[in-house]
Amino acid sequence: MKLRTNLNKIWAFSTRSALVNRRNVFAIFEMVFWPLIGVFSVGLLTRFLSLEGETVAFILIGAVTMNTVQIAQLDLSYALLYSVWSKSLKHEFIAPVRLSHILVGSGLVGLVRGLVVFVLMGCLSVYFFDMDLGRPGLAGLSLFLLGLFLNAAIIGALVLALVLRFGQRAEVAAWAFSYLMLLLCGLYYPVSVLPRGAQFLAQIIPLTYFLDYFRNFYGFPLMSRHPLLYGFSQTVVYLFISYGLVCLTLKSAYRRGTLLRLSD
Amino acid sequence: MQPAIFAQGIGKGFRTGLWGPVKQVLRQVDLTVAPGAIFGVLGPNGAGKTTLISILATLLLPDTGRAEVLGLDVVRQAARLKARINLAASGAHFLWCMTVTDSLRFYGRLYGLGGRALTDKVEKLLDLFGLAEHRTVTFERLSTGLKQRLALAKALINDPELLFLDEPTSGLDQEMAHHIRQEIVRLNRETGVTMLLTTHNLREAEMLCTEVAFLKGGQLISEGRIPDLQRRLGLGDHLGLIFQDSPAPLDYDRLPGVLHHTVQDSRVDLVLDRVDERLPAILEVVYATGTKLAKVVVKPVDLEEIYHEITH
């Protein structure tokens, strides 16, 4: 009974996210247009620079990663922004819902949308730029995708914390956060080309290790000996930290009256 | 009997800016609301009505004091309490692209409803609030009145034992406001749900509330049943006796229930403790003098006078 009640609460946020995506032309635009632009602009650039097979794969993996993470984190980031935009935040928080219901419910839709983007971009990369997406095998692909989605969840949770603290002004953070992270984790280049200080920052970003792990299947040497171990350990730590941060900002929002201010 | 709401020494302040001074919005508010009552919290804008209702509705933490709603502490037992209360506020706001049905289903799920139970509940509320024919209309396309009806329907999705109504008719036209008030009274009568209502519309409070409390500058300055407040403040009902010629030769202040009187030409104005009880006796005395009355004007004391007396 309690499980069913909790599942209904999670399902509430999933269906709401799905509805908004279905009825909002820009959401479809986000899922199709930008990934298309991403894969073709990067793919054609590799052609212009006459890059060889493995190097093309290196760069296309970056493009696919960027778009997948961006789209997957959006639903989580928007979970509260939808309520802020519609000024209905107090109606959500007067109900007996927990943060976990919001995060899991909205995150599920983000996962599905991220998966669609990954598949779409992967197929385009295979068809137009001869990328061998199947080379890492099902296990390799699954672990890489899991890493991407968990990193998207970290970004989404941090944006949620910012929304609860700063309201609508945090909207821009939904994009800025992921771009900053993607810049540092060696999206289109090896981390070794970054300045020394930035290289250190790259080492504390789990996405760096997942990219390292995946690109190794295409013949690029491993930067770290155990990329999955480092990647997943850091991810778990960051997930705990970001969840804790959202809980703290929610508590502060109850004290400071942010929930009411964002509903006016 | 355990009160539906019991609050003691509630205080709340908000800091302006990051390092600005704290503006005190509520100061030492005590409140007791009986189960099944429609209790009105009245006061001008900025009096602290919404802040008080938000604390009791678990949306805001108080700085000082403690409050229990339905026997549960609003801070420590908020999670359990949330399942038993709900809120409808003025200027209803829901997600713009969700239809009436989508919105009700969404909020129903937030209370753990699902499957057949959710569908039945949504259908019942659609019928109850006359929303069935608008079920597929998105929120942004609804009229103000329909949005407010949806807000009330949403507030009943979990069969709450206590309902917070924050200026529920604000911004509505007369007809719609009247309709919503009727709904509120009907709900209270049929389901026995306790209601805490904030308003600055005194007529509305008079029509709906069994008890009222006045807030001013964050302080609760008076509380009680309207007739009790009237008595406490020495306010009375008005009775105007307009005679055909000169007034009856009487010592009006000695008549039963008369608080004071004024005479002007052929008109005598009496202020009585209870006009409904005293009128027959007074008319009898007047008729006994043989003086002919042209007109009798009765005007019971209204909340506006009480409010004016309290706030000034």
Side-chain angles (χ1 to χ4, degrees):
Chain A
M1 190 65 185
K2 203 167 178 193
L3 176 70
R4 183 177 290 185
T5 301
N6 282 316
L7 287 176
N8 282 332
K9 292 176 187 182
I10 290 170
W11 191 235
F13 288 100
S14 296
T15 48
R16 186 179 71 162
S17 270
L19 266 173
V20 176
N21 282 316
R22 213 176 65 200
R23 292 187 185 152
N24 182 0
V25 69
F26 292 104
I28 298 163
F29 199 72
E30 274 169 1
M31 256 174 71
V32 179
F33 183 76
W34 292 120
L36 274 174
I37 294 290
V39 86
F40 280 111
S41 59
V42 170
L44 292 172
L45 182 71
T46 60
R47 251 183 220 172
F48 169 67
L49 295 173
S50 311
L51 298 177
E52 294 300 318
E54 262 65 42
T55 320
V56 172
F58 184 99
I59 291 172
L60 281 172
I61 288 167
V64 173
T65 299
M66 185 176 90
N67 283 279
T68 306
V69 172
Q70 279 283 21
I71 296 297
Q73 61 88 19
L74 271 183
D75 283 275
L76 213 53
S77 308
Y78 284 178
L80 288 187
L81 279 171
Y82 289 141
S83 306
V84 173
W85 290 329
S86 62
K87 298 180 180 179
S88 62
L89 202 59
K90 64 182 171 190
H91 294 292
E92 272 87 274
F93 280 99
I94 200 178
V97 289
R98 291 197 300 267
L99 268 174
S100 51
H101 297 132
I102 301 174
L103 293 172
V104 176
S106 306
L108 278 173
V109 179
L111 192 143
V112 171
R113 291 216 305 154
L115 200 61
V116 170
V117 168
F118 185 85
V119 170
L120 176 71
M121 290 187 78
C123 291
L124 291 172
S125 301
V126 170
Y127 189 77
F128 289 101
F129 302 104
D130 303 321
M131 184 186 163
D132 183 9
L133 195 65
R135 196 187 293 182
L138 190 62
L141 263 174
S142 304
L143 285 169
F144 179 59
L145 264 175
L146 180 65
L148 297 193
F149 290 137
L150 289 176
N151 275 270
I154 293 169
I155 299 171
L158 287 174
V159 175
L160 278 185
L162 286 174
V163 170
L164 283 170
R165 180 64 186 81
F166 300 107
Q168 291 213 47
R169 285 173 291 169
E171 192 182 330
V172 68
W175 292 98
F177 244 132
S178 42
Y179 274 119
L180 188 66
M181 199 165 111
L182 294 166
L183 176 81
L184 290 168
C185 70
L187 198 63
Y188 296 123
Y189 37 78
V191 171
S192 54
V193 305
L194 289 169
R196 193 170 288 268
Q199 277 188 39
F200 170 74
L201 288 175
Q203 283 173 18
I204 55 170
I205 296 174
L207 201 54
T208 308
Y209 299 97
F210 293 116
L211 281 168
D212 190 30
Y213 165 75
F214 200 64
R215 281 168 173 161
N216 183 240
F217 289 106
Y218 295 87
F220 294 93
L222 282 175
M223 189 189 75
S224 111
R225 201 175 289 174
H226 304 290
L228 285 182
L229 180 70
Y230 284 114
F232 280 115
S233 330
Q234 282 190 4
T235 299
V236 169
V237 172
Y238 289 141
L239 274 175
F240 271 111
I241 291 174
S242 51
Y243 184 73
L245 213 57
V246 185
C247 291
L248 274 177
T249 47
L250 180 61
K251 201 169 179 184
S252 157
Y254 273 117
R255 203 179 56 246
R256 297 159 55 97
T258 313
L259 298 179
L260 304 175
R261 214 169 43 247
L262 294 176
S263 303
D264 283 337
Chain B
M1 195 193 302
Q2 188 185 48
I5 296 175
F6 175 75
Q8 203 172 36
I10 297 290
K12 184 72 195 173
F14 294 104
R15 191 175 291 282
T16 41
L18 216 52
W19 291 283
V22 174
K23 189 189 170 210
Q24 206 60 31
V25 179
L26 286 179
R27 302 158 202 267
Q28 294 294 314
V29 173
D30 298 337
L31 192 72
T32 305
V33 176
I38 303 183
F39 192 99
V41 178
L42 311 177
N45 288 332
K49 303 186 297 288
T50 300
T51 304
L52 179 62
I53 215 173
S54 301
I55 288 172
L56 298 172
T58 74
L59 289 168
L60 187 64
L61 295 176
D63 292 340
T64 59
R66 68 185 189 95
E68 280 184 8
V69 173
L70 303 171
L72 297 170
D73 189 283
V74 295
V75 178
R76 285 181 290 113
Q77 295 168 300
R80 277 171 64 199
L81 176 59
K82 282 170 190 280
R84 297 168 61 188
I85 58 172
N86 213 321
L87 164 84
S90 62
H93 293 296
F94 298 119
L95 198 60
W96 63 93
C97 63
M98 279 164 78
T99 65
V100 169
T101 311
D102 292 337
S103 295
L104 289 176
R105 291 185 72 82
F106 170 67
Y107 286 105
R109 287 192 182 108
L110 294 191
Y111 288 89
L113 292 174
R116 189 80 224 157
L118 176 63
T119 306
D120 290 348
K121 186 75 199 169
V122 168
E123 286 304 318
K124 194 177 152 198
L125 290 171
L126 288 173
D127 287 340
L128 191 66
F129 287 94
L131 290 165
E133 59 183 301
H134 309 284
R135 64 172 69 226
T136 55
V137 181
T138 53
F139 184 76
E140 63 188 344
R141 288 171 187 262
L142 291 174
S143 67
T144 313
L146 286 172
K147 283 177 180 172
Q148 201 59 24
R149 272 198 254 171
L150 176 60
L152 272 176
K154 170 259 154 190
L156 297 179
I157 196 82
N158 61 324
D159 293 322
E161 293 164 58
L162 196 143
L163 194 54
F164 294 100
L165 300 166
D166 193 6
E167 306 201 355
T169 60
S170 173
L172 296 182
D173 60 47
Q174 287 296 321
E175 197 182 338
M176 187 48 65
H178 177 71
H179 180 75
I180 296 289
R181 282 183 204 122
Q182 280 183 319
E183 283 300 323
I184 290 170
V185 172
R186 190 181 57 78
L187 277 171
N188 176 258
R189 205 172 291 155
E190 287 178 8
T191 63
V193 59
T194 308
M195 296 180 181
L196 184 76
L197 174 142
T198 68
T199 180
H200 52 238
N201 183 337
L202 299 174
R203 286 266 158 237
E204 180 169 279
E206 211 166 359
M207 277 183 251
L208 297 176
C209 301
T210 42
E211 278 186 71
V212 291
F214 292 92
L215 269 181
K216 191 186 176 193
Q219 282 180 304
L220 199 142
I221 47 178
S222 203
E223 175 195 352
R225 290 174 60 241
I226 294 171
D228 294 342
L229 285 174
Q230 173 191 343
R231 255 192 296 278
R232 210 182 302 161
L233 295 165
L235 290 174
D237 300 329
H238 297 269
L239 175 66
L241 301 171
I242 302 158
F243 295 93
Q244 280 187 353
D245 300 312
S246 54
L250 285 167
D251 185 354
Y252 288 98
D253 281 340
R254 300 197 124 211
L255 291 175
V258 174
L259 301 173
H260 55 89
H261 83 281
T262 53
V263 181
Q264 192 177 16
D265 302 327
S266 61
R267 179 180 176 126
V268 178
D269 283 299
L270 306 173
V271 176
L272 300 160
D273 55 358
R274 289 195 72 87
V275 73
D276 48 344
E277 285 175 16
R278 307 294 189 184
L279 186 60
I282 288 173
L283 288 180
E284 203 173 306
V285 175
V286 170
Y287 285 133
T289 64
T291 324
K292 287 191 175 162
L293 270 170
K295 200 174 175 185
V296 175
V297 183
V298 175
K299 183 176 169 277
V301 68
D302 60 21
L303 205 51
E304 205 158 301
E305 284 175 79
I306 297 175
Y307 181 72
H308 186 268
E309 192 68 23
I310 288 171
T311 53
H312 293 83

